Amino acid sequence: MIFLDMLRQLFMNIFHTIFFILWGDLITIPLPGGSSLGLSLLVLILIPSGIYFTIRTRFLPFRLFPEMLRITIENKSASQKDAISGVQALIVSTATRVGMGNLVGVVAAISAGGAGSVFWMWLIALLGSSTAFIEGTLAQLYKEKDPLYGGYRGGPAYYIHKLFIKGSKRRYSVIAVLFALSGLLCWCGISQVIGNSVSSAFENAFHIPPLYTTIVLTAVAAVIVLRKNATIKVLDIIVPIMASCYFLITVFIIIKNAALLPGVLEQIFTEAFGLRQAAAGGFGAVIMNGAKRGLFSNEAGSGSAPCAAAAADISRPAKEGLLQAFGVFIDTLVICSCSAMILLLAPAELTNGLDGMDLLQTSMQYHLGDWGVIFIAAILWLFSFSTFIGILFYARSNVAYLFGDNWLSQTLYKVLDLIMLFIGGLSAYTFVWDLGDVGIGLMTIFNIMALIPLAPQAVDSLRDYEKNKRSGSPKHN
């Protein structure tokens, strides 16, 4: 018994050390006014990588934004049976990007860093867009036929494998295995967070006991994820509806409070550069809260979205890369901005001292009355539910890489995530949530290890796409 306690304590010490290395402030830079800027390992990796990819792609987010829009509105379906189109792959990745981070995450960033955090979220989205292009294009370049579900599969585990085996016929690459395991670990943790968030929101809004909410949520999810190809059909319906509803409600709130909008925008830009916070010693919090929420809301660099990008049946790899880059804009510049406007257009005296869902629900109640609380509960359900079925779509390729092409391993992982969803709905286990954070942190490190050396291939694909586009060749379409 003593030995088991020592072993458990050793594991917890190792775990917390890894957690601190990934998420803690490894470097602290002093700033004027007594403030400081704490930089975690993931920020130190993702921001320089984003700058590097932005330069290598010749500032893709600015140059090719119209092209991203053009590709997105193309009404083209997959050419092969059971395959998905590029836009459908975008919908899957949007389902997982547009989740809890867009609601509670934005609230946390503004609560801790003020309105200026929003500006840094916007800036990080521009860098993340270039990173998303690189990983989305590489996912297409290294995709494989999927013998179980039909169509294609792939993602970081596959391009990491090809990078590190160097032409060998080995079944596994150590780094690819670590990435795949980290992904499965992360998505188990996220499943519990989803269950807990939905049951808590419905209890607050409708006074429904968590058990009832959790049973319905898990049952509906099981019906969808345990069927062969129901995920895409459901997300095709849910994602456009939930994103459009949230956007339109925000537009209504902005129009209703149009007189306050110039003041809110001035507050965002003024606080972004610390003109008020520098004197109060909070400039570092403004930057880092915006940067961290921007990085991990849009998932660029984590290696999640490429699992969907690889499944697309699309004419050119760079097109899927551009679609995934556009997904970052949807997540941060549209949905996250919606949450920010809802909060910042509410009177400060009404929201002072509040945080988390209380802050968001109070703001919505101010704008829309009691219907605002109901709307947030409903939209949170849609955001969270779409994230859950989206991450199980991601998991397909990782499970296949680790355990081969068989229905048993695919089904067992889905059942495990459904169990985690159910457990999370009844109670919160913070250790499991921390496991999810560690999982996504490790995914990011392993993914970036491959993105940097493989980036020239994605850049070549972009160059080829643009060359054909300029020449008027139909092949670029």
Side-chain angles (χ1 to χ4, degrees):
M1 191 69 179
I2 295 176
F3 174 75
L4 290 177
D5 287 340
M6 291 176 60
L7 195 63
R8 186 181 68 83
Q9 188 60 44
L10 176 63
F11 171 78
M12 293 301 295
N13 289 339
I14 294 173
F15 171 77
H16 287 302
T17 299
I18 296 173
F19 185 91
F20 175 79
I21 291 172
L22 294 171
W23 294 92
D25 295 335
L26 291 186
I27 298 176
T28 303
I29 302 173
L31 297 173
S35 180
S36 61
L37 184 63
L39 302 174
S40 68
L41 176 61
L42 291 173
V43 170
L44 289 169
I45 289 173
L46 284 170
I47 291 182
S49 298
I51 294 172
Y52 169 68
F53 296 139
T54 300
I55 294 171
R56 285 301 307 268
T57 58
R58 295 180 295 126
F59 299 92
L60 173 145
F62 304 97
R63 290 192 308 112
L64 296 176
F65 185 75
E67 182 68 6
M68 295 178 200
L69 285 174
R70 187 190 72 80
I71 296 171
T72 303
I73 61 177
E74 285 182 347
N75 186 24
K76 292 188 177 180
S77 58
S79 61
Q80 296 190 25
K81 183 182 179 182
D82 294 328
I84 66 174
S85 69
V87 173
Q88 285 176 317
L90 171 63
I91 288 174
V92 174
S93 60
T94 301
T96 57
R97 285 188 176 114
V98 180
M100 288 298 297
N102 298 93
L103 298 178
V104 180
V106 175
V107 173
I110 293 176
S111 298
S117 299
V118 178
F119 171 83
W120 294 102
M121 287 174 57
W122 291 340
L123 183 62
I124 292 302
L126 295 175
L127 298 178
S129 182
S130 299
T131 304
F133 169 80
I134 297 292
E135 59 184 1
T137 303
L138 290 174
Q140 274 288 305
L141 289 170
Y142 288 91
K143 69 184 180 182
E144 301 178 355
K145 288 282 190 179
D146 189 338
L148 284 182
Y149 292 95
Y152 300 95
R153 62 148 184 243
Y158 294 80
Y159 56 70
I160 291 172
H161 177 85
K162 292 293 176 64
L163 173 66
F164 287 104
I165 63 169
K166 305 289 186 186
S168 166
K169 293 184 179 180
R170 282 182 294 152
R171 171 68 178 85
Y172 295 108
S173 158
V174 173
I175 302 299
V177 167
L178 291 174
F179 172 86
L181 288 173
S182 299
L184 299 184
L185 180 74
C186 167
W187 297 323
C188 275
I190 290 175
S191 298
Q192 195 190 64
V193 175
I194 289 169
N196 186 260
S197 300
V198 172
S199 64
S200 298
F202 270 65
E203 185 176 24
N204 292 336
F206 308 114
H207 307 292
I208 300 175
L211 178 62
Y212 299 154
T213 301
T214 305
I215 289 174
V216 173
L217 176 66
T218 307
V220 174
V223 169
I224 295 169
V225 302
L226 293 177
R227 295 176 62 190
K228 182 180 177 181
N229 282 320
T231 297
I232 299 299
K233 296 175 183 176
V234 172
L235 291 181
D236 273 347
I237 298 172
I238 290 180
V239 173
I241 290 175
M242 71 180 189
S244 298
C245 287
Y246 198 56
F247 177 71
L248 291 174
I249 286 292
T250 305
V251 170
F252 169 77
I253 290 171
I254 291 173
I255 293 173
K256 181 182 175 184
N257 298 276
L260 302 176
L261 188 60
V264 168
L265 294 175
E266 181 184 2
Q267 182 185 4
I268 290 173
F269 287 101
T270 300
E271 294 187 13
F273 297 99
L275 301 182
R276 179 172 66 82
Q277 281 72 12
F283 186 36
V286 175
I287 297 176
M288 291 318 300
N289 277 283
K292 287 178 180 178
R293 292 301 169 185
L295 286 169
F296 300 110
S297 173
N298 61 54
E299 296 184 353
S302 71
S304 293
C307 297
D313 179 15
I314 197 165
S315 59
R316 302 185 77 86
K319 288 181 69 174
E320 184 58 35
L322 290 170
L323 284 169
Q324 292 303 320
F326 184 64
V328 174
F329 282 100
I330 295 173
D331 172 83
T332 307
L333 296 184
V334 178
I335 305 299
C336 284
S337 296
C338 287
S339 298
M341 290 299 164
I342 290 169
L343 298 178
L344 295 175
L345 286 169
E349 59 271 15
L350 187 67
T351 57
N352 281 341
L354 299 178
D355 55 22
M357 287 303 295
D358 288 339
L359 175 55
L360 185 58
Q361 288 183 324
T362 299
S363 299
M364 284 298 290
Q365 189 170 32
Y366 167 77
H367 294 304
L368 302 176
D370 290 339
W371 283 103
V373 178
I374 296 172
F375 175 78
I376 286 297
I379 206 73
L380 176 64
W381 191 94
L382 288 173
F383 278 24
S384 301
F385 183 73
S386 64
T387 297
F388 179 77
I389 59 178
I391 60 177
L392 283 179
F393 185 91
Y394 287 171
R396 290 179 182 182
S397 58
N398 285 9
V399 171
Y401 180 79
L402 291 172
F403 305 108
D405 296 308
N406 61 82
W407 287 112
L408 178 62
S409 58
Q410 292 283 339
T411 304
L412 286 177
Y413 183 74
K414 290 175 182 178
V415 171
L416 173 63
D417 265 27
L418 286 166
I419 291 172
M420 295 299 288
L421 181 70
F422 185 83
I423 292 173
L426 300 182
S427 55
Y429 296 93
T430 56
F431 173 69
V432 179
W433 293 18
D434 290 343
L435 276 177
D437 288 338
V438 168
I440 197 170
L442 293 174
M443 286 171 65
T444 302
I445 291 174
F446 300 136
N447 187 42
I448 294 294
M449 287 173 63
L451 290 187
I452 292 176
L454 291 176
Q457 296 182 29
V459 173
D460 288 343
S461 180
L462 176 62
R463 188 178 296 116
D464 181 61
Y465 176 77
E466 291 188 280
K467 180 180 177 181
N468 280 278
K469 183 172 179 289
R470 285 192 300 269
S471 68
S473 169
K475 292 182 178 180
H476 82 273
N477 292 322

